[in-house]
Amino acid sequence: MRTLVELADTLVADFDVLDLLVLLTDRCVDVFDLEAAGIMLAAPDGDLRLMASSSEAMRLLELFELQSKEGPCYDCFLTGLPVVNQDLASDAGLWPHFGPVALAAGFRTAHALPMRLRGTVIGVLNLFHTEPGEMNAAEIAGAQALADVATIAILQHRAVLEAQLVNEQLQGALNSRIVIEQAKGMVAEREGVSMEQAFTALRGYARKQNLRLGDVARSVIDGRLTASALSLRPVTDPS
Amino acid sequence: MDATQLGKGGPRRSLILARLTGNGAFPIETRRMCEVSAEITGMTGAGMMLMSGDVPRGSICSTDGVSALIEELQYDLGEGPCVDAYNLDRPVLEPDLAHPAAGRWLAFRGPAVAGGARAVFGFPLQVGSVRLGALNLYCCRPGNLTDEQHADALVMADIAAQAVLVLQAGAPPGGLAVELEECADFHYVVHQASGMVAAQLDSSIAQAAIRLRAYAFAVARPLAAVADDVVARGLRFDARSGDMERKP
């Protein structure tokens, strides 16, 4: 319970999602007396990738790596159902590659809990024991609650990131439009032409030099490009 | 864009979404967002303002002239309910502009009341920690919002903020979504005039913009009207004397 409160506090404040996921795997290890815990997320290509782990030991990282193709995480991800209390010694046949490697690494029991959002599974919480033994129903429910917290954290993080990106695009588009209007005014005044003529000159210069209109406008405003260099009027032959 | 992108929620939210999309029309027009904001809260009018870096950038939409004036005054003066709601990151409520909280909006309140606004309310437009601007509601009579109206305004602001982002997400690269420009006033003429004045004074754009605003304030005219004069070449600024010259 204390773990959930601590995690909820982290969620409310401005949080780094990776820090939160690592914290979550650490707490899993403490609360359920495990050897190791990790969180794997589905990448856009559909493969599972390790996002956070309670330990950086190579033998453990390799185990997560293997599960992009086979293992409790992979099964859990495909079915959306928990895979719990898997005795790696007796169930090794289930996973011909993963099983022996996990045993050799010193692990005996594995669990995988789905990180679900409505119909989709976005990732898996993976737990490892070195001893044979079963998690009881209350422990499994507790672990699933932690997996749900991780799901919420990731979804919140994604929504905010996406909103931030679109807002930056919005502000950027508005800014470059404003800079273009300012440059139009400057050129119109310096060269004694209309706003439309000033715009045509700015756009013509941008096209000819293969530059972005916003960048040309900024150069005009900064004084790096003079209004007269835009060649508003065709150069008349002196002869 | 479909309704699911605007999130799910309680009955209040569903009701507002149903109003916004009554005929199943997507994308939601910004004008419709303003109309529904005023309707569901029982206010006289509503408007939405974009802000960035604590500065008003322009209006996305407004239901009527008074609402447009409230936004224009805030753009010109840099103070008012939207500016505060955005900066303070919370709703800002002024139930009687004729007798406002001490010292509130000294420049804004006079012209706003004269224009027909008695009660004004600002609600931040934000998605998570991402702030976009503010929704303003006004009423031609003084009076507080009821709890119900307040709750509706909060939900409306939340939906509107997400809708703005959904609209912009469909914009061409580097550009502003066409739907956001439709009823908007981003004061492009003010920026054109700033460019002209900068050339006249041989100053930076920032200095020119300040001169324009100071002049508009001194002669008690809307900034946009002064900018129109500059662009029409009826008004010039002189670097030496600091005087303005009006052409016949």
Side-chain angles (χ1 to χ4, degrees), chain A residues 14 118 159-195 221, chain B residues 8 50-52 57 127-132 164-166 168-169 174-176 180-181 186 188 191-200 202-205 231 233 236:
Chain A
D14 272 347
R118 298 185 194 116
V160 167
L161 271 190
E162 200 178 315
Q164 213 157 26
L165 191 71
V166 178
N167 190 37
E168 275 163 20
Q169 285 166 354
L170 174 65
Q171 302 296 344
L174 204 50
N175 275 340
S176 77
R177 179 69 196 269
I178 286 170
V179 170
I180 290 166
E181 297 304 326
Q182 290 166 341
K184 274 163 66 178
M186 216 169 223
V187 172
E189 175 67 21
R190 291 241 157 93
E191 300 298 302
V193 296
S194 70
M195 287 298 160
I221 284 170
Chain B
K8 294 200 162 97
L50 278 189
M51 311 241 329
S52 78
R57 301 305 292 270
V127 176
S129 55
V130 179
R131 299 183 302 155
L132 307 177
V164 166
L165 288 184
V166 170
Q168 176 61 25
L176 210 56
L180 287 179
E181 290 255 38
F186 292 123
Y188 293 136
H191 300 293
Q192 290 170 2
S194 298
M196 289 183 71
V197 172
Q200 288 162 11
D202 207 16
S203 72
S204 70
I205 294 280
V231 169
R233 295 187 159 88
R236 291 184 60 80

Side-chain angles (χ1 to χ4, degrees), chain B residues 146-168:
Chain B
T146 64
D147 289 351
E148 189 88 349
Q149 287 170 321
H150 193 111
D152 280 333
L154 285 173
V155 175
M156 185 66 223
D158 186 48
I159 292 174
Q162 290 183 50
V164 166
L165 288 184
V166 170
L167 286 175
Q168 176 61 25

Side-chain angles (χ1 to χ4, degrees), chain A residues 13-84:
Chain A
D14 272 347
F15 67 98
D16 181 303
V17 76
L18 277 181
D19 286 351
L20 180 107
L21 296 182
V22 170
L23 174 73
L24 199 135
T25 56
D26 286 345
R27 290 296 171 272
C28 278
V29 168
D30 296 346
V31 173
F32 304 113
D33 199 17
L34 304 165
E35 180 60 23
I39 288 173
M40 299 192 78
L41 288 187
D45 59 14
D47 277 355
L48 282 176
R49 306 254 164 80
L50 180 67
M51 287 303 290
S53 169
S54 60
S55 148
E56 296 291 311
M58 272 319 287
R59 61 189 181 110
L60 181 63
L61 298 184
E62 279 164 6
L63 268 190
F64 288 122
E65 191 82 3
L66 265 180
Q67 294 192 73
S68 66
K69 303 235 161 42
E70 176 200 291
C73 278
Y74 187 73
D75 288 357
C76 171
F77 180 64
L78 280 190
T79 60
L81 299 171
V83 174
V84 293

Side-chain angles (χ1 to χ4, degrees), chain A:
Chain A
M1 189 59 211
R2 196 151 45 104
T3 297
L4 279 178
V5 171
E6 181 188 15
L7 291 168
D9 278 352
T10 319
L11 268 180
V12 175
D14 272 347
F15 67 98
D16 181 303
V17 76
L18 277 181
D19 286 351
L20 180 107
L21 296 182
V22 170
L23 174 73
L24 199 135
T25 56
D26 286 345
R27 290 296 171 272
C28 278
V29 168
D30 296 346
V31 173
F32 304 113
D33 199 17
L34 304 165
E35 180 60 23
I39 288 173
M40 299 192 78
L41 288 187
D45 59 14
D47 277 355
L48 282 176
R49 306 254 164 80
L50 180 67
M51 287 303 290
S53 169
S54 60
S55 148
E56 296 291 311
M58 272 319 287
R59 61 189 181 110
L60 181 63
L61 298 184
E62 279 164 6
L63 268 190
F64 288 122
E65 191 82 3
L66 265 180
Q67 294 192 73
S68 66
K69 303 235 161 42
E70 176 200 291
C73 278
Y74 187 73
D75 288 357
C76 171
F77 180 64
L78 280 190
T79 60
L81 299 171
V83 174
V84 293
N85 300 325
Q86 297 296 315
D87 185 331
L88 296 168
S90 60
D91 295 340
L94 276 178
W95 303 305
H97 294 288
F98 171 81
V101 179
L103 277 175
F107 297 112
R108 186 64 197 274
T109 316
H111 317 270
L113 296 159
M115 296 168 62
R116 279 178 303 225
L117 172 76
R118 298 185 194 116
T120 25
V121 184
I122 66 160
V124 179
L125 172 64
N126 198 185
L127 312 174
F128 290 107
H129 285 283
T130 46
E131 307 295 324
E134 302 212 331
M135 279 174 103
N136 62 34
E139 286 172 326
I140 291 168
Q144 183 63 55
L146 291 181
D148 292 343
V149 169
T151 308
I152 293 164
I154 288 159
L155 294 175
Q156 258 188 24
H157 181 67
R158 280 184 188 168
V160 167
L161 271 190
E162 200 178 315
Q164 213 157 26
L165 191 71
V166 178
N167 190 37
E168 275 163 20
Q169 285 166 354
L170 174 65
Q171 302 296 344
L174 204 50
N175 275 340
S176 77
R177 179 69 196 269
I178 286 170
V179 170
I180 290 166
E181 297 304 326
Q182 290 166 341
K184 274 163 66 178
M186 216 169 223
V187 172
E189 175 67 21
R190 291 241 157 93
E191 300 298 302
V193 296
S194 70
M195 287 298 160
E196 204 181 328
Q197 287 169 310
F199 180 68
T200 307
L202 285 165
R203 195 180 50 191
Y205 184 86
R207 281 190 185 155
K208 210 163 58 194
Q209 304 290 325
N210 204 13
L211 295 167
R212 281 162 44 191
L213 182 55
D215 293 338
V216 171
R218 204 156 274 126
S219 300
V220 168
I221 284 170
D222 295 347
R224 282 176 284 134
L225 179 65
T226 59
S228 53
L230 297 174
S231 58
L232 270 146
R233 295 169 212 86
V235 181
T236 46
D237 193 331
S239 60

Side-chain angles (χ1 to χ4, degrees), chain B residues 77-233:
Chain B
L77 304 167
E79 66 173 31
C82 288
V83 175
D84 282 4
Y86 176 88
N87 287 333
L88 301 173
D89 223 357
R90 62 168 170 78
V92 170
L93 316 169
E94 181 47 73
D96 191 355
L97 257 189
H99 308 281
R104 185 176 251 185
W105 312 325
L106 289 171
F108 168 83
R109 71 192 193 201
V113 172
R118 269 309 285 280
V120 290
F121 308 97
F123 291 85
L125 292 172
Q126 59 190 131
V127 176
S129 55
V130 179
R131 299 183 302 155
L132 307 177
L135 164 73
N136 88 63
L137 300 171
Y138 90 92
C139 189
C140 58
R141 293 178 308 278
N144 267 312
L145 291 177
T146 64
D147 289 351
E148 189 88 349
Q149 287 170 321
H150 193 111
D152 280 333
L154 285 173
V155 175
M156 185 66 223
D158 186 48
I159 292 174
Q162 290 183 50
V164 166
L165 288 184
V166 170
L167 286 175
Q168 176 61 25
L176 210 56
V178 182
E179 296 90 343
L180 287 179
E181 290 255 38
E182 251 162 23
C183 307
D185 182 3
F186 292 123
H187 305 270
Y188 293 136
V189 70
V190 172
H191 300 293
Q192 290 170 2
S194 298
M196 289 183 71
V197 172
Q200 288 162 11
L201 300 175
D202 207 16
S203 72
S204 70
I205 294 280
Q207 286 167 319
I210 291 169
R211 283 286 294 274
L212 260 183
R213 276 171 197 268
Y215 176 80
F217 186 74
V219 299
R221 294 184 65 213
L223 183 57
V226 170
D228 276 335
D229 284 359
V230 170
V231 169
R233 295 187 159 88

